[in-house]
Amino acid sequence: MSEASTPKDQSPELPVIEQPVIPEPVAAKQTGSGKGLAALALLIALGGAAAGGWSAWQLYEKKTAEQTQASQLDTVQAQFAGLTQGLLAEQKRGEALQQRLDQLPASEELETQRRLVSRLQGDQQLLNERLETVLGASRQEWRIAEAEHLLRLASLRLSALQDIPSATALVKAADDIINEQDDPAAYAAREQLAKSLVALRSTHNPDRLGLFLQIGAVREQAAQLNALAPVFDGEGGVLREWAQEPGGEQQWWQRALETLSEYFRLDFDADRNIKPMLAGQELGQVRLALNLALEQAQWGALHGQTGVYRQAMEQARDTLDTYFDADHPNSRTLRTQIVELEQRPIDVTPPDLSPALNAVQAYIEAKLTARAQQGIPAAKGAEQPAAAGEVQE
């Protein structure tokens, strides 16, 4: 509204005085309009810049979203390809499984086979039970036959070698086998075995091996034995005694007798058998005869042959008395040892093991009879150990 406008509440009676209209300064209007336009232009520019930035941001976001979508699409495609391959593999496995299922027999055939397998398992279990029964019986029979064989070996050792320790060990092993059976019917057999063990342990057992070694030491000592040269005791004998009679100064004839006693010896009380010296070859033959006699005595002592042992020791003693001087210290010591060893007992009276053997055989027959009554076949060849023992005897 301009300053020349008249207010509405002025009274109409007053005279209107027209004042000249003074125009506004053009420069001021132009300045204000220019600022407004500049501000408007600035705002428009800012808006354009903001719109451009927003558009650029939107383009960036869109590009980023497109890249993300592209990567997700690639991932989905890869997953889809993997799923496709998995489905193909599953399809192949399904086809293979279907082929195997097609190859399987029908349900009726399976039921028939199941019944056959059940019947076969039952038959196999029954067969195993019968086999265990038969094998258990055969083991027992073999063990009892082994006990009989051991008793036969013990009897053989006693009769042939009189070997008490070996026979005792064999009888003890047979008793252990019978004890393993845990059978009341074996009471009689074990009773006879116990009696045999007591008899064996109470039998005198000479140390034959020690005696054998002692005779061997005597043989070594006899190999070093030498013949003793005869030595005369007394200086001149009777001639010297006559030449040395008391009674003052010696006469000429006494001196002659003393001189003669150095070349001749008269002994009226000679009671000793003076043996001549043995030559080298004769001494070797005598030593060989003595060594053979002692070696024969060793064999007799080791095998319990009392007659052979006594005869050989007596022969060795006679050889020593005949060809060697009894006064020689080595000969005297050797003869004392031979006499001492000659008196050593070597014979053994072994107990009779036949009652124990008969009792074990009766027990074996009773077991075989019981097996036959039960319908269980006996083990083939169970009696072979006993037959082997008989062959060895």
Side-chain angles (χ1 to χ4, degrees):
M1 185 170 61
S2 65
E3 294 179 358
S5 62
T6 303
K8 294 180 179 182
D9 56 355
Q10 268 184 346
S11 176
E13 286 90 2
L14 294 175
V16 179
I17 302 172
E18 296 181 0
Q19 295 180 359
V21 179
I22 301 173
E24 294 180 358
V26 180
K29 286 184 179 180
Q30 291 177 354
T31 303
S33 300
K35 290 182 178 179
L37 291 173
L40 180 60
L42 180 61
L43 290 175
I44 293 171
L46 291 174
W54 174 257
S55 299
W57 175 257
Q58 290 295 326
L59 290 174
Y60 176 75
E61 289 290 335
K62 184 177 181 181
K63 186 177 181 180
T64 304
E66 289 177 354
Q67 292 178 354
T68 304
Q69 290 177 358
S71 61
Q72 291 178 355
L73 181 60
D74 294 339
T75 304
V76 170
Q77 289 178 353
Q79 292 178 356
F80 180 75
L83 290 174
T84 303
Q85 293 178 357
L87 289 175
L88 292 175
E90 290 293 334
Q91 184 178 1
K92 291 181 180 179
R93 284 196 293 268
E95 292 176 357
L97 182 60
Q98 185 63 36
Q99 292 178 359
R100 294 180 62 182
L101 290 175
D102 294 339
Q103 293 176 358
L104 292 177
S107 58
E108 295 80 4
E109 187 177 356
L110 288 176
E111 183 65 23
T112 304
Q113 291 182 359
R114 188 186 63 81
R115 288 196 300 267
L116 291 177
V117 169
S118 300
R119 184 181 303 174
L120 180 62
Q121 289 178 349
D123 295 340
Q124 185 177 4
Q125 184 176 2
L126 180 61
L127 181 61
N128 288 335
E129 292 177 356
R130 295 184 62 185
L131 183 61
E132 288 294 332
T133 304
V134 173
L135 289 180
S138 64
R139 291 193 191 99
Q140 292 180 356
E141 292 172 1
W142 271 101
R143 293 292 288 171
I144 299 172
E146 182 182 358
E148 182 187 5
H149 179 62
L150 291 176
L151 286 177
R152 292 179 181 274
L153 286 179
S155 179
L156 181 62
R157 299 287 293 185
L158 285 179
S159 60
L161 301 177
Q162 298 181 354
D163 191 356
I164 301 298
S166 298
T168 304
L170 291 172
V171 175
K172 181 64 172 58
D175 182 66
D176 293 339
I177 292 175
I178 299 299
N179 186 26
E180 290 176 0
Q181 305 303 316
D182 195 15
D183 188 3
Y187 175 80
R190 293 208 63 195
E191 181 181 9
Q192 293 298 328
L193 288 172
K195 292 180 180 179
S196 299
L197 282 174
V198 171
L200 287 171
R201 289 168 180 170
S202 60
T203 302
H204 173 66
N205 184 24
D207 187 10
R208 295 178 178 175
L209 180 60
L211 185 59
F212 178 86
L213 297 176
Q214 291 179 8
I215 298 176
V218 171
R219 285 179 56 194
E220 294 180 359
Q221 187 177 358
Q224 301 174 357
L225 193 63
N226 293 319
L228 180 64
V231 177
F232 299 103
D233 294 334
E235 298 295 336
V238 178
L239 295 178
R240 179 61 61 86
E241 292 177 0
W242 290 346
Q244 293 181 355
E245 286 185 357
E249 186 178 357
Q250 286 184 346
Q251 301 296 325
W252 62 269
W253 59 270
Q254 291 179 342
R255 290 192 298 271
L257 286 176
E258 185 175 359
T259 302
L260 189 61
S261 65
E262 295 178 359
Y263 300 95
F264 298 96
R265 180 174 182 272
L266 297 178
D267 191 359
F268 298 104
D269 297 328
D271 56 354
R272 186 164 56 94
N273 185 15
I274 301 175
K275 300 177 178 60
M277 289 186 63
L278 295 174
Q281 185 176 2
E282 294 178 353
L283 180 60
Q285 293 177 356
V286 171
R287 285 179 178 175
L288 180 60
L290 182 59
N291 183 66
L292 290 176
L294 293 175
E295 186 175 356
Q296 188 177 7
Q298 278 185 308
W299 183 90
L302 190 62
H303 292 81
Q305 300 293 331
T306 305
V308 176
Y309 176 74
R310 302 293 184 198
Q311 182 179 359
M313 293 299 288
E314 183 178 358
Q315 183 180 356
R317 177 169 49 82
D318 293 341
T319 303
L320 189 64
D321 293 341
T322 303
Y323 295 101
F324 294 94
D325 195 347
D327 293 336
H328 195 284
N330 294 339
S331 302
R332 184 170 56 252
T333 302
L334 189 61
R335 188 181 189 281
T336 302
Q337 293 179 358
I338 290 176
V339 172
E340 181 182 354
L341 293 176
E342 186 180 359
Q343 305 300 324
R344 296 279 292 274
I346 62 171
D347 55 343
V348 177
T349 305
D352 187 12
L353 299 182
S354 57
L357 183 60
N358 294 333
V360 172
Q361 290 177 347
Y363 174 63
I364 292 175
E365 292 178 359
K367 293 284 289 185
L368 293 177
T369 304
R371 297 292 180 189
Q373 291 178 356
Q374 293 177 2
I376 300 176
K380 295 182 179 180
E383 298 297 330
Q384 289 181 359
E390 293 177 358
V391 171
Q392 291 182 3
E393 291 181 3

